[in-house]
């Protein structure tokens, strides 16, 4: 057995508050020479290929009370880990979104490895969808890309073998881990104080990162429910890159600015734009110690939704992102290491939750994530034409925008509480509109 890293435990504990913490990865396969994929053959291949790879054999077991943390052990996937589903509505793409919306609100059972693969027929055009419902404790964005690459290219999986479950946990090992964690706490607290001092020394807003509780209340920062809505906005990756090059920013800068502009437009349409700018958490990768699981820090970004001019808004978002990069560079692994001290991190997280309720403001407004996808994938000559991702909701952040680039596409997966954003496709359209607005800016607008 092997103890989970604290960042993996975080996603398990988030789910304990009634918030499902799995992601949805969608791969759509196209025909080969006009012939659709053989669904039966694909199902047999997927069950075998996934069942022999490390993360898909991991089962979680509770740790020792007050000492240990959850443990991974090796387990054989169940027969129902691979499920077949046929879309029957007239609009099959919309029906796929509705299936994803339902899956986003369902929790994965804990008495088996934490995943399920849905093989979805009926899309039309000789297409077949593979929807991987996978707990975030197994993989972050970067390791999810690795999984797809290994799976579709028949690359040998990374060796992360685990022994089978032992009936009795190892008390001595748990005590040793607990002792090491206690010895590290003073140094970690010192790093936290230094990071806090660095945050306070930043220039005045807006040329800085976001901080806790700056976020104004919005319609999507209420208590989360299980009624979810999922959809996608597919942007041109070439256009995103061109806009970044012309306006002096990165792909991530353009994506964050497009998100900011779309959110501003959406809230204006609903007469609910707050006067203060929205803030977002953005996962950022750190040095990995293992091929799977989570290895991320977080940037806190001001989205400048109070700024009406698109170029000024882009520049403000770019500056805030740059400040976040520089702040993380001071101690890149601080959050990752803090999460590995689960008791200290639990206290920090619970204090934030209490402060959130007392202040009547969310810690941050939403999650914005950007993952560079893999190169071209295929299965037995059937090309993977589309690759998409849906990230989970967390805390009181009832909106998640997760982008994956693949081929010529930069596809944003939108996930929200349905009762808070009942018209999520409208927000998806506004993302496309905002990119067009930025692309239309020229030198004369300088």
């Amino acid at each position: 057995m092997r103890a989970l890293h604290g960042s993996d435990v975080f996603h398990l504990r988030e789910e304990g508050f009634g918030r499902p913490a799995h992601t949805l990865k969608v791969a759509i396969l196209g025909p080969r020479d006009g012939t659709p994929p053989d669904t039966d053959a694909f199902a047999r291949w997927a069950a075998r290929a996934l069942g022999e790879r490390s993360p898909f054999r991991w089962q979680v077991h509770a740790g020792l009370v007050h000492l240990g943390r959850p443990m991974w052990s090796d387990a054989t996937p169940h027969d129902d880990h691979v499920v077949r589903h046929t879309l029957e509505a007239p609009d099959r793409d919309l029906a796929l979104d509705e299936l994803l919306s339902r899956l986003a609100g369902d929790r994965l059972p804990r008495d088996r490895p934490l995943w399920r693969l849905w093989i979805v027929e009926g899309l039309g055009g000789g297409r077949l969808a593979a929807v991987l419902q996978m707990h975030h404790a197994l993989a972050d964005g970067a390791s999810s890309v690795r999984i797809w690459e290994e799976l579709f290219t028949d690359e040998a999986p990374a060796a992360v073998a685990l022994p089978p479950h032992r009936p009795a946990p190892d008390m001595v090992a748990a005590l040793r881990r607990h002792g090491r964690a206690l010895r590290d706490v003073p140094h970690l607290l010192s790093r936290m104080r230094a990071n806090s001092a660095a945050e306070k020394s930043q220039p005045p807003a807006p040329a800085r990162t976001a901080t806790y509780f700056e976020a104004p209340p919005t319609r999507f920062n209420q208590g989360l429910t299980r009624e979810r809505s999922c959809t996608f906005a597919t942007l041109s990756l070439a256009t995103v890159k061109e806009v970044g090059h012309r306006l002096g920013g990165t792909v991530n800068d353009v994506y964050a600015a497009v998100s900011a502009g779309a959110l501003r437009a959406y809230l204006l349409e609903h007469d609910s734009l707050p006067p203060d700018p929205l803030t977002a958490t953005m996962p950022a990768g750190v040095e990995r110690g293992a091929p799977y699981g989570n290895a991320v820090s977080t940037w806190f970004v001001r989205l400048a939704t109070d700024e009406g001019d698109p170029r000024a808004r882009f520049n403000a978002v770019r500056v805030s992102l740059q400040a976040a990069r520089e702040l993380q560079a001071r101690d890149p692994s601080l959050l990752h290491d803090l999460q590995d001290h689960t008791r200290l991190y639990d206290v920090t997280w619970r204090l934030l939750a209490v402060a959130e309720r007392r202040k009547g403001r969310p810690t941050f407004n939403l999650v914005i994530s950007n993952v560079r996808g893999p190169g071209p994938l295929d299965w037995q000559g059937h090309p993977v034409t589309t690759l998409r991702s849906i990230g989970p909701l967390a805390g009181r952040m009832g909106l998640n925008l997760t982008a994956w680039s693949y081929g010529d596409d930069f596809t944003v997966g939108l996930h929200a509480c349905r009762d808070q954003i009942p018209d999520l496709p409208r927000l998806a359209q506004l993302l496309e509109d905002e990119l067009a607005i930025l692309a239309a800016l020229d030198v004369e607008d300088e």
Side-chain angles (χ1 to χ4, degrees):
M1 300 179 75
R2 178 173 65 81
L4 279 71
H5 187 276
S7 55
D8 306 330
V9 177
F10 165 76
H11 293 290
L12 291 175
R13 293 188 175 170
E14 261 291 286
E15 197 165 64
F17 292 102
R19 297 182 284 260
H22 55 265
T23 65
L24 299 172
K25 311 301 181 191
V26 184
I28 298 179
L29 284 71
R32 179 190 63 197
D33 300 328
T35 302
D38 184 318
T39 305
D40 292 333
F42 183 79
R44 290 192 299 269
W45 168 81
R48 175 191 56 79
L50 289 172
E52 66 187 18
R53 281 167 165 76
S54 294
F56 301 97
R57 298 183 62 88
W58 293 352
Q59 183 172 337
V60 68
H61 302 275
L64 294 173
V65 178
H66 302 306
L67 292 178
R69 62 182 65 178
M71 309 285 287
W72 291 127
S73 69
D74 184 81
T76 302
H78 290 220
D79 292 339
D80 63 356
H81 266 97
V82 177
V83 182
R84 291 176 60 167
H85 180 83
T86 301
L87 302 174
E88 297 179 349
D91 188 333
R92 305 301 173 87
D93 291 296
L94 179 60
L96 178 59
D97 285 356
E98 286 301 315
L99 172 63
L100 298 176
S101 300
R102 177 168 64 83
L103 297 181
D106 290 342
R107 289 183 57 172
L108 290 164
R110 294 283 183 92
D111 62 348
R112 62 195 65 193
L114 297 175
W115 64 275
R116 186 177 287 127
L117 180 71
W118 294 76
I119 299 175
V120 183
E121 303 173 87
L123 272 173
R127 297 178 297 159
L128 181 72
V131 178
L132 181 58
Q133 189 180 13
M134 178 173 59
H135 203 286
H136 211 315
L138 296 177
D140 58 15
S143 49
S144 295
V145 170
R146 181 190 189 106
I147 287 170
W148 279 131
E149 290 174 333
E150 292 177 350
L151 190 64
F152 282 102
T153 62
D154 287 332
E155 178 184 339
V160 191
L162 298 176
H165 176 49
R166 289 175 294 185
D170 189 335
M171 176 71 77
V172 174
L175 287 169
R176 287 174 177 169
R177 282 193 299 271
H178 190 60
R180 287 194 298 269
L182 289 175
R183 289 195 298 271
D184 290 343
V185 166
H187 177 59
L188 187 60
L189 290 174
S190 176
R191 292 167 61 191
M192 292 171 64
R193 286 193 294 269
N195 188 73
S196 178
E199 284 185 300
K200 292 177 181 178
S201 68
Q202 292 183 104
R208 59 171 174 79
T209 64
T211 57
Y212 294 106
F213 308 115
E214 275 189 88
T218 73
R219 59 190 292 133
F220 48 83
N221 295 122
Q222 312 302 317
L224 304 188
T225 69
R226 288 186 59 183
E227 292 298 317
R228 303 302 177 82
S229 180
C230 297
T231 193
F232 299 93
T234 300
L235 312 179
S236 163
L237 180 58
T239 302
V240 171
K241 290 180 177 179
E242 189 277 329
V243 169
H245 177 74
R246 184 159 43 81
L247 298 184
T250 65
V251 166
N252 218 30
D253 295 335
V254 176
Y255 172 42
V258 165
S259 300
L263 287 164
R264 173 184 167 84
Y266 179 84
L267 292 170
L268 279 172
E269 287 184 356
H270 290 79
D271 195 27
S272 57
L273 178 69
D276 296 329
L278 271 62
T279 66
T281 67
M282 299 188 70
V286 298
E287 185 175 349
R288 304 195 70 86
Y292 307 117
N294 293 264
V296 295
S297 183
T298 303
W299 296 346
F300 302 143
V301 183
R302 295 166 58 87
L303 293 180
T305 49
D306 55 333
E307 174 57 65
D309 179 74
R311 185 183 294 276
R313 186 166 57 247
F314 173 86
N315 287 332
V317 172
R318 177 180 56 80
V319 168
S320 184
L321 265 169
Q322 181 59 32
R325 292 187 191 98
E326 293 172 356
L327 187 63
Q328 186 203 16
R330 297 177 62 92
D331 194 344
S333 64
L334 174 59
L335 179 62
H336 188 62
D337 294 344
L338 173 60
Q339 288 175 328
D340 207 31
H341 290 72
T342 53
R343 296 303 169 195
L344 181 58
Y345 189 67
D346 276 352
V347 171
T348 304
W349 191 252
R350 291 178 186 279
L351 288 174
L352 287 175
V354 170
E356 192 174 53
R357 290 193 296 271
R358 289 183 175 178
K359 291 177 178 291
R361 298 173 73 96
T363 313
F364 296 95
N365 290 114
L366 72 152
V367 179
I368 299 178
S369 178
N370 177 20
V371 177
R372 180 183 297 176
L377 303 174
D378 75 277
W379 174 74
Q380 296 185 1
H382 294 276
V384 176
T385 60
T386 304
L387 202 58
R388 301 168 173 172
S389 178
I390 293 290
L393 305 183
R396 295 179 67 85
M397 295 181 287
L399 178 62
N400 181 305
L401 306 179
T402 293
W404 272 44
S405 55
Y406 180 70
D408 298 329
D409 295 335
F410 186 86
T411 303
V412 183
L414 296 84
H415 178 194
C417 277
R418 189 182 295 270
D419 55 348
Q420 296 172 15
I421 305 184
D423 52 348
L424 195 61
R426 177 55 184 160
L427 181 57
Q429 179 60 54
L430 289 169
L431 289 168
E432 299 177 21
D433 294 347
E434 186 64 20
L435 179 60
I437 290 171
L438 293 180
L441 296 176
D442 57 31
V443 177
E444 294 180 357
D445 294 321
E446 296 280 356

